[in-house]
Amino acid sequence: MFCSPFLRTRQTAEIIRSVLNETVLDGKVAEPTPNLALRERWFGIFDMTHDDNYHRCWKEDNDAPDHGEHSKFGCESASSVADRATKFIVEEIENKMENKIVILVAHGDICQILQTSFLGMEAWQQRQIEHVETASWRDMKVSK
């Protein structure tokens, strides 16, 4: 199990680990491994403000899909988030965890953006797929 190094994802990962160990896996799930690649998206001037401001960043994604370092709000681009998350999956999971079930505990936007990669969509299209609700999970498999 891997998680963002941020507090609430570490706490959630520990709850998942505890429940799995106590119910079905008899103590076989190791401590979650924090990884910076799973951190939340940087929302620039909206970071640590009201969640309603995220919509402004998502609109910018839609209007200028590859704004990169040129976001008028200083937001990390969706493609940058997708790049760091998929690089982590390729280098740390696909290459080292073959035939294993891996649980990733991360934040909403990174989960949403990562799912676009699995579906073969552009990262900026993340708001076009079903919203990832707090404390929900998705079974992600590469779309053929």
Side-chain angles (χ1 to χ4, degrees):
M1 182 179 329
F2 296 93
C3 63
S4 160
F6 295 174
L7 180 62
R8 68 181 184 270
T9 52
R10 290 193 336 262
Q11 291 170 330
T12 300
E14 191 52 48
I15 291 167
I16 293 167
R17 174 182 178 257
S18 177
V19 169
L20 288 173
N21 280 338
E22 292 171 12
T23 58
V24 293
L25 294 176
D26 198 28
K28 295 177 185 168
V29 180
E31 281 191 37
T33 303
N35 191 291
L36 201 53
L38 297 175
R39 71 189 180 279
E40 178 59 292
R41 179 182 190 180
W42 175 249
F43 282 98
I45 66 171
F46 304 129
D47 210 56
M48 305 299 286
T49 66
H50 196 277
D51 290 356
D52 287 345
N53 288 322
Y54 297 158
H55 295 277
R56 295 171 73 186
C57 182
W58 297 331
K59 181 176 179 342
E60 184 178 47
D61 289 344
N62 225 22
D63 295 346
D66 204 18
H67 56 71
E69 302 293 323
H70 306 289
S71 165
K72 64 183 172 186
F73 305 118
C75 299
E76 180 180 14
S77 71
S79 60
S80 175
V81 174
D83 289 347
R84 72 172 148 88
T86 55
K87 180 180 178 186
F88 168 75
I89 288 174
V90 169
E91 292 178 359
E92 297 299 323
I93 296 175
E94 285 185 358
N95 290 335
K96 299 176 183 175
M97 307 280 170
E98 189 172 346
N99 297 320
K100 293 186 180 184
I101 294 172
V102 177
I103 297 172
L104 301 178
V105 182
H107 308 270
D109 240 44
I110 191 168
C111 292
Q112 194 90 12
I113 290 167
L114 189 55
Q115 184 150 22
T116 64
S117 297
F118 278 85
L119 293 171
M121 297 170 67
E122 295 293 327
W124 65 269
Q125 295 175 305
Q126 60 141 327
R127 304 315 303 167
Q128 297 174 20
I129 59 176
E130 181 185 355
H131 180 70
V132 176
E133 298 293 339
T134 301
S136 64
W137 62 274
R138 301 260 171 100
D139 185 8
M140 293 191 193
K141 295 182 176 139
V142 176
S143 188
K144 301 282 180 196

